[in-house]
Amino acid sequence: MSQAPPSRAPRVRRKHPVDEVPPAGMLALYGVQHLLAFYAGAVVVPILLAGAIGLSDRELIHLINADLFTCGIASIIQSVGFWKIGVRLPLLQGVTFTAVSPMIAIGLAAGGGTDGLLVIYGAVIVAGLFTFLIAPYFSRLIRFFPPVVTGSVITIIGLALLPVAAADAVGGAAHPEPGNARNLAYAVGTLALIVLIQRFFRGFMATVAVLLGLVVGTLTAWVLGDATFSAVADSSWVGVTTPFYFGWPKFSVAAIISMIVVMLITAVETTGDVFATGEIVDKRIGRKDIAAALRADGLATTIGGVFNSFPYTCFAENVGLVRLTQVRSRWVVAAAGGFMILVGLVPKAGAVVAGIPHPVLGGAALAMFATVAVVGIQTLSRVDFNDHRNVVIVATSLGLAMLVTAQPGVVDAVPAWAQIIFGSGITLGSITAIGLNAVFHHLGRGRGVALSGAPGRGQIRLEDVNAMSLEEFTATFGKLFQGPTSVVQNAYTQRPFPDSTALRTALQEALFATSPEEQRALMNAYPALGGDAVADGTAGEQSALDQRTAGLTQLSDEDHEALRELTTEYREKFGFPLIVCVRDTPSRERILAQGHARLQNSATQEHAAALIEIAKIAGHRFDDLVAGANPIHSARTQRFGSTAL
């Protein structure tokens, strides 16, 4: 009687790190760390607004409590999520800085004070509902957010926020003291402590580096008399924010339109933050994720209008914190949201957090904002910069963003309707990146990246390549390889190529897809390293250029003899010349050492190694071909090339 096969245990699907719940103690500490990193940015908006429209201190305190309370609700909605609302990533929500200037303008136009506040809240509620409803439609624009756009936006967010951290480092935007050595010591000391903890500690200690930096920096300032917590005694234990505390909202068409524009701009920033967080936590972002994140923004903004707060978006400070600590759980942000609600309901707790000195916060913020910029740079590393259009998109958006960041007075030179855009480097840079990407990559026919020739003199672009005959294609790209053209002919069959990267990939795949006989014929077409064929030019211009980078065209008699002995022994053993991509090994000593080491390999391994070296050589020649047709890329290549020589 045959036995039944043993039943397999059901496979347990491992949770993504985003969905894992840390132990309670760690969850609380990580949540507090997010709260402390977030707090300064959270209270700036109500402080600026209250001062501008003439609210009393009592009204300001209520605004701050309401802001923190609603931030907590918004963060839980975004990180935990329900139905199709909330992206379920470690994204902490805060009041968007983009709304500050428009809200001040709305409030003053309505007479200032609480009357102006009621018109602001009417516009906030309607704009929140608008954002919620358009979320699925806005998410369909995801094709307009390739890496060249998202990378630019994320980099801009990090760089544009660095001045905010710098302002805190010198004492705060309200009372800056650039010449105060003690402020600088607190900021640099906090930053240095965070770096040292991450350098010398692993595991849990490294993940709470920012928290430890803030605590130690604050305690040091308190001991030296530069931090005070006197406001704790003056604060009440409970401060409940009630819906429509200042009265029923008022609705103005002009105010609503202005706030809708703010939310559309905020949607772009949120999209950039979602992509940045997706990069950090290694989770692919799709259309549904963007829609869910924007619905959460819209719902949180509507709730904010009801509970006496303002428009919401993802906070870049905390995106940087996730990258810095590598704690990817969304439940940490949910815990931070819970603490924010608590702080919003207990003014004494808020007073404790408010006691952290600005320079200490500034030192921590420098690390977090710069980390956001690094995430953007990592995203840009996937961009095809052989395509001159991408260079223009990134350079222009970064340049304009830094212009209004470094010179905020520029906003006074533009009409009132444009000030909402020129008032923020993040807004201007993001809109520029999206707009230029649409112009260069989506509008009109577009001929694509130049792949050969020189500007104004016989340039060959991607569209031309896709329309070439086999003979034309072989004549253009045949010089990437020595001798036989079988590889290039095989690559031709994979047209059309959507970009230069796809063309490069097709050439690589065609190399390894050729028959062993064709591969051997190709190998035998490559000249000997430092051989006479290279010196007298019979091996071709490309081989001379390759070997010149390692000085193989100007060898001493001793080096020439050493190479000749090596290459002769190699050919006798394997039946084809020693092939080395000398641009990757621009040292005669290393070439000789590598060659002698490869003599110990089997014939099969050396066959594969030779193909890989041929692929590398072809890659450098491809870059040379594209560089000649793209001036900016050419300048960069020549600069690096001269260093190698």
Side-chain angles (χ1 to χ4, degrees), residues 386 473 477 480-481 486-494 497 499-515 519 522 526 581 584 608 610-623:
N386 289 330
F473 187 84
F477 298 104
L480 300 181
F481 301 92
S486 54
V487 173
V488 179
Q489 291 174 357
N490 288 343
Y492 178 80
T493 62
Q494 298 186 41
F497 307 109
D499 52 39
S500 63
T501 301
L503 173 57
R504 179 197 289 268
T505 301
L507 290 163
Q508 291 172 341
E509 291 178 348
L511 169 63
F512 292 97
T514 53
S515 68
Q519 291 172 353
L522 180 65
Y526 281 78
C581 180
D584 291 340
L611 288 178
I612 291 172
E613 295 299 313
I614 289 173
K616 292 178 182 178
I617 294 169
H620 284 292
R621 293 180 180 181
F622 184 88
D623 287 341

Side-chain angles (χ1 to χ4, degrees), residues 536-550:
D536 61 24
T538 57
E541 180 183 348
Q542 289 296 323
S543 290
L545 176 62
D546 292 335
Q547 297 201 24
R548 193 180 301 127
T549 61

Side-chain angles (χ1 to χ4, degrees), residues 262-472:
V262 168
M263 291 306 296
L264 287 173
I265 294 171
T266 300
V268 175
E269 295 180 24
T270 294
T271 301
D273 284 328
V274 170
F275 274 111
T277 307
E279 290 278 337
I280 292 167
V281 302
D282 194 23
K283 195 166 187 178
R284 184 173 180 177
I285 301 302
R287 209 175 84 187
K288 292 181 179 179
D289 298 303
I290 300 299
L294 295 178
R295 284 193 191 96
D297 275 4
L299 178 59
T301 298
T302 301
I303 293 173
V306 172
F307 280 92
N308 320 296
S309 191
F310 309 106
Y312 284 93
T313 186
C314 306
F315 248 41
E317 291 95 327
N318 298 81
V319 174
L321 185 59
V322 172
R323 176 66 179 84
L324 204 60
T325 63
Q326 287 298 301
V327 177
R328 296 185 278 179
S329 171
R330 60 192 173 100
W331 297 103
V332 168
V333 168
F339 287 127
M340 278 188 275
I341 293 174
L342 178 64
V343 171
L345 293 175
V346 182
K348 280 189 182 295
V352 171
V353 179
I356 300 174
H358 282 287
V360 174
L361 280 172
L366 284 171
M368 292 185 291
F369 292 156
T371 301
V372 174
V374 170
V375 174
I377 294 169
Q378 288 176 323
T379 304
L380 288 174
S381 68
R382 303 203 308 268
V383 174
D384 179 12
F385 282 115
N386 289 330
D387 189 336
H388 182 61
R389 297 172 298 177
N390 290 334
V391 176
V392 173
I393 292 169
V394 176
T396 307
S397 58
L398 280 173
L400 287 175
M402 292 303 100
L403 166 65
V404 299
T405 299
Q407 298 292 334
V410 168
V411 70
D412 298 327
V414 300
W417 62 266
Q419 289 183 358
I420 188 175
I421 296 173
F422 282 80
S424 164
I426 296 174
T427 300
L428 179 59
S430 300
I431 290 176
T432 301
I434 295 168
L436 289 179
N437 177 68
V439 169
F440 282 120
H441 292 295
H442 295 279
L443 297 181
R445 245 175 121 230
R447 299 188 60 218
V449 57
L451 295 172
S452 184
R457 298 197 309 275
Q459 273 193 334
I460 297 174
R461 296 183 177 273
L462 195 62
E463 182 183 89
D464 302 321
V465 171
N466 288 330
M468 281 179 175
S469 67
L470 175 60
E471 291 73 19
E472 292 170 331

Side-chain angles (χ1 to χ4, degrees), residues 133-297:
L133 294 174
I134 68 154
Y137 304 101
F138 189 93
S139 68
R140 292 178 183 175
L141 303 177
I142 195 170
R143 67 191 182 93
F144 293 102
F145 292 86
V148 68
V149 171
T150 57
S152 298
V153 171
I154 296 166
T155 304
I156 288 166
I157 289 172
L159 294 179
L161 287 175
L162 281 173
V164 178
D168 273 334
V170 296
H175 304 287
E177 297 180 77
N180 189 318
R182 185 167 285 192
N183 284 345
L184 182 62
Y186 288 138
V188 175
T190 301
L191 176 60
L193 181 59
I194 292 170
V195 172
L196 289 172
I197 291 172
Q198 294 204 321
R199 168 61 181 85
F200 292 106
F201 291 92
R202 294 289 181 269
F204 177 71
M205 284 291 289
T207 61
V208 294
V210 174
L211 176 60
L212 291 174
L214 290 170
V215 170
V216 172
T218 301
L219 288 175
T220 304
W222 179 68
V223 169
L224 296 177
D226 293 321
T228 177
F229 296 96
S230 58
V232 177
D234 300 331
S235 301
S236 58
W237 280 103
V238 179
V240 179
T241 180
T242 56
F244 307 121
Y245 174 84
F246 296 98
W248 287 98
K250 298 177 181 179
F251 300 94
S252 161
V253 174
I256 289 170
I257 292 173
S258 177
M259 199 56 60
I260 285 175
V261 172
V262 168
M263 291 306 296
L264 287 173
I265 294 171
T266 300
V268 175
E269 295 180 24
T270 294
T271 301
D273 284 328
V274 170
F275 274 111
T277 307
E279 290 278 337
I280 292 167
V281 302
D282 194 23
K283 195 166 187 178
R284 184 173 180 177
I285 301 302
R287 209 175 84 187
K288 292 181 179 179
D289 298 303
I290 300 299
L294 295 178
R295 284 193 191 96
D297 275 4

